[in-house]
PDB file of all heavy atoms in Angstrom:
ATOM      1  N   SER S  86     -49.170 103.773 172.594  1.00 98.00           N
ATOM      2  CA  SER S  86     -50.185 104.592 171.795  1.00 98.00           C
ATOM      3  C   SER S  86     -50.905 103.797 170.929  1.00 98.00           C
ATOM      4  O   SER S  86     -52.048 104.161 170.433  1.00 98.00           O
ATOM      5  CB  SER S  86     -49.605 105.891 171.241  1.00 98.00           C
ATOM      6  OG  SER S  86     -48.591 105.555 170.162  1.00 98.00           O
ATOM      7  N   ASP S  87     -50.436 102.617 170.516  1.00 98.00           N
ATOM      8  CA  ASP S  87     -51.168 101.744 169.606  1.00 98.00           C
ATOM      9  C   ASP S  87     -52.548 101.297 170.403  1.00 98.00           C
ATOM     10  O   ASP S  87     -53.591 101.352 169.781  1.00 98.00           O
ATOM     11  CB  ASP S  87     -50.506 100.426 169.264  1.00 98.00           C
ATOM     12  CG  ASP S  87     -49.471 100.655 168.114  1.00 98.00           C
ATOM     13  OD1 ASP S  87     -49.644 101.576 167.412  1.00 98.00           O
ATOM     14  OD2 ASP S  87     -48.459  99.864 168.023  1.00 98.00           O
ATOM     15  N   TYR S 111     -49.581 105.992 158.936  1.00 96.00           N
ATOM     16  CA  TYR S 111     -49.323 104.832 159.721  1.00 96.00           C
ATOM     17  C   TYR S 111     -50.183 103.591 159.269  1.00 96.00           C
ATOM     18  O   TYR S 111     -51.401 103.723 159.337  1.00 96.00           O
ATOM     19  CB  TYR S 111     -49.560 105.281 161.211  1.00 96.00           C
ATOM     20  CG  TYR S 111     -49.204 104.288 162.228  1.00 96.00           C
ATOM     21  CD1 TYR S 111     -48.124 103.332 162.022  1.00 96.00           C
ATOM     22  CD2 TYR S 111     -49.865 104.208 163.349  1.00 96.00           C
ATOM     23  CE1 TYR S 111     -47.778 102.426 162.978  1.00 96.00           C
ATOM     24  CE2 TYR S 111     -49.450 103.431 164.461  1.00 96.00           C
ATOM     25  CZ  TYR S 111     -48.477 102.451 164.114  1.00 96.00           C
ATOM     26  OH  TYR S 111     -48.044 101.483 165.081  1.00 96.00           O
ATOM     27  N   ASP S 180     -51.938 112.259 165.545  1.00 98.00           N
ATOM     28  CA  ASP S 180     -51.002 111.261 166.218  1.00 98.00           C
ATOM     29  C   ASP S 180     -49.559 111.801 166.184  1.00 98.00           C
ATOM     30  O   ASP S 180     -48.951 111.806 165.122  1.00 98.00           O
ATOM     31  CB  ASP S 180     -51.207 109.964 165.262  1.00 98.00           C
ATOM     32  CG  ASP S 180     -50.204 108.867 165.701  1.00 98.00           C
ATOM     33  OD1 ASP S 180     -49.448 109.064 166.681  1.00 98.00           O
ATOM     34  OD2 ASP S 180     -50.342 107.835 165.010  1.00 98.00           O
ATOM     35  N   TYR S 183     -44.125 111.347 166.786  1.00 98.00           N
ATOM     36  CA  TYR S 183     -42.748 111.875 166.598  1.00 98.00           C
ATOM     37  C   TYR S 183     -42.570 113.365 166.760  1.00 98.00           C
ATOM     38  O   TYR S 183     -41.686 114.089 166.266  1.00 98.00           O
ATOM     39  CB  TYR S 183     -42.417 111.571 165.161  1.00 98.00           C
ATOM     40  CG  TYR S 183     -42.503 110.063 164.850  1.00 98.00           C
ATOM     41  CD1 TYR S 183     -43.496 109.521 164.177  1.00 98.00           C
ATOM     42  CD2 TYR S 183     -41.478 109.171 165.401  1.00 98.00           C
ATOM     43  CE1 TYR S 183     -43.702 108.047 163.982  1.00 98.00           C
ATOM     44  CE2 TYR S 183     -41.554 107.750 165.122  1.00 98.00           C
ATOM     45  CZ  TYR S 183     -42.536 107.286 164.464  1.00 98.00           C
ATOM     46  OH  TYR S 183     -42.723 105.934 164.318  1.00 98.00           O
ATOM     47  N   THR S 206     -46.619 109.339 172.750  1.00 98.00           N
ATOM     48  CA  THR S 206     -46.165 108.175 173.213  1.00 98.00           C
ATOM     49  C   THR S 206     -44.778 108.381 173.960  1.00 98.00           C
ATOM     50  O   THR S 206     -44.075 109.258 173.711  1.00 98.00           O
ATOM     51  CB  THR S 206     -45.802 107.176 171.929  1.00 98.00           C
ATOM     52  OG1 THR S 206     -45.250 105.977 172.520  1.00 98.00           O
ATOM     53  CG2 THR S 206     -44.902 107.662 170.973  1.00 98.00           C
ATOM     54  N   SER S 208     -42.619 106.031 173.635  1.00 98.00           N
ATOM     55  CA  SER S 208     -41.720 105.040 172.924  1.00 98.00           C
ATOM     56  C   SER S 208     -40.525 105.570 172.148  1.00 98.00           C
ATOM     57  O   SER S 208     -39.587 104.926 171.985  1.00 98.00           O
ATOM     58  CB  SER S 208     -42.521 104.197 171.895  1.00 98.00           C
ATOM     59  OG  SER S 208     -43.518 103.450 172.502  1.00 98.00           O
ATOM     60  N   LYS S 209     -40.753 106.893 171.687  1.00 98.00           N
ATOM     61  CA  LYS S 209     -39.719 107.519 170.804  1.00 98.00           C
ATOM     62  C   LYS S 209     -38.918 108.469 171.568  1.00 98.00           C
ATOM     63  O   LYS S 209     -37.769 108.148 171.900  1.00 98.00           O
ATOM     64  CB  LYS S 209     -40.482 108.068 169.629  1.00 98.00           C
ATOM     65  CG  LYS S 209     -41.625 107.278 169.023  1.00 98.00           C
ATOM     66  CD  LYS S 209     -41.031 106.082 168.380  1.00 98.00           C
ATOM     67  CE  LYS S 209     -42.222 105.332 167.822  1.00 98.00           C
ATOM     68  NZ  LYS S 209     -42.036 103.988 167.210  1.00 98.00           N
ATOM     69  N   ARG S 217     -44.112 100.283 177.004  1.00 98.00           N
ATOM     70  CA  ARG S 217     -45.520 100.355 176.321  1.00 98.00           C
ATOM     71  C   ARG S 217     -46.318 101.274 177.015  1.00 98.00           C
ATOM     72  O   ARG S 217     -47.038 101.109 177.983  1.00 98.00           O
ATOM     73  CB  ARG S 217     -46.211  98.959 176.373  1.00 98.00           C
ATOM     74  CG  ARG S 217     -45.505  97.823 175.945  1.00 98.00           C
ATOM     75  CD  ARG S 217     -44.946  98.076 174.399  1.00 98.00           C
ATOM     76  NE  ARG S 217     -45.972  98.338 173.442  1.00 98.00           N
ATOM     77  CZ  ARG S 217     -45.872  99.368 172.706  1.00 98.00           C
ATOM     78  NH1 ARG S 217     -45.031 100.293 172.711  1.00 98.00           N
ATOM     79  NH2 ARG S 217     -46.944  99.614 171.756  1.00 98.00           N
TER      80      ARG S 217
HETATM   81  N1  LIG U 401     -48.069 106.222 165.718  1.00 91.42           N
HETATM   82  C1  LIG U 401     -47.303 106.138 164.746  1.00 91.42           C
HETATM   83  C2  LIG U 401     -47.302 107.225 163.685  1.00 91.42           C
HETATM   84  C3  LIG U 401     -46.132 105.285 164.905  1.00 91.42           C
HETATM   85  O1  LIG U 401     -45.241 105.153 163.944  1.00 91.42           O
HETATM   86  C4  LIG U 401     -46.106 104.460 165.971  1.00 91.42           C
HETATM   87  C5  LIG U 401     -44.928 103.420 166.135  1.00 91.42           C
HETATM   88  N2  LIG U 401     -45.058 102.266 165.449  1.00 91.42           N
HETATM   89  C6  LIG U 401     -47.068 104.440 166.937  1.00 91.42           C
HETATM   90  C7  LIG U 401     -48.189 105.424 166.814  1.00 91.42           C
HETATM   91  C8  LIG U 401     -47.234 103.505 168.036  1.00 91.42           C
HETATM   92  O2  LIG U 401     -46.262 103.706 169.103  1.00 91.42           O
HETATM   93  P1  LIG U 401     -46.449 102.986 170.417  1.00 91.42           P
HETATM   94  O3  LIG U 401     -47.465 101.876 170.376  1.00 91.42           O
HETATM   95  O4  LIG U 401     -45.038 102.362 170.705  1.00 91.42           O
HETATM   96  O5  LIG U 401     -46.668 104.036 171.504  1.00 91.42           O
END
Side-chain angles (χ1 to χ4, degrees):
S86 60
D87 280 339
Y111 186 28
D180 177 355
Y183 302 103
T206 177
S208 297
K209 317 294 179 182
R217 308 307 299 128

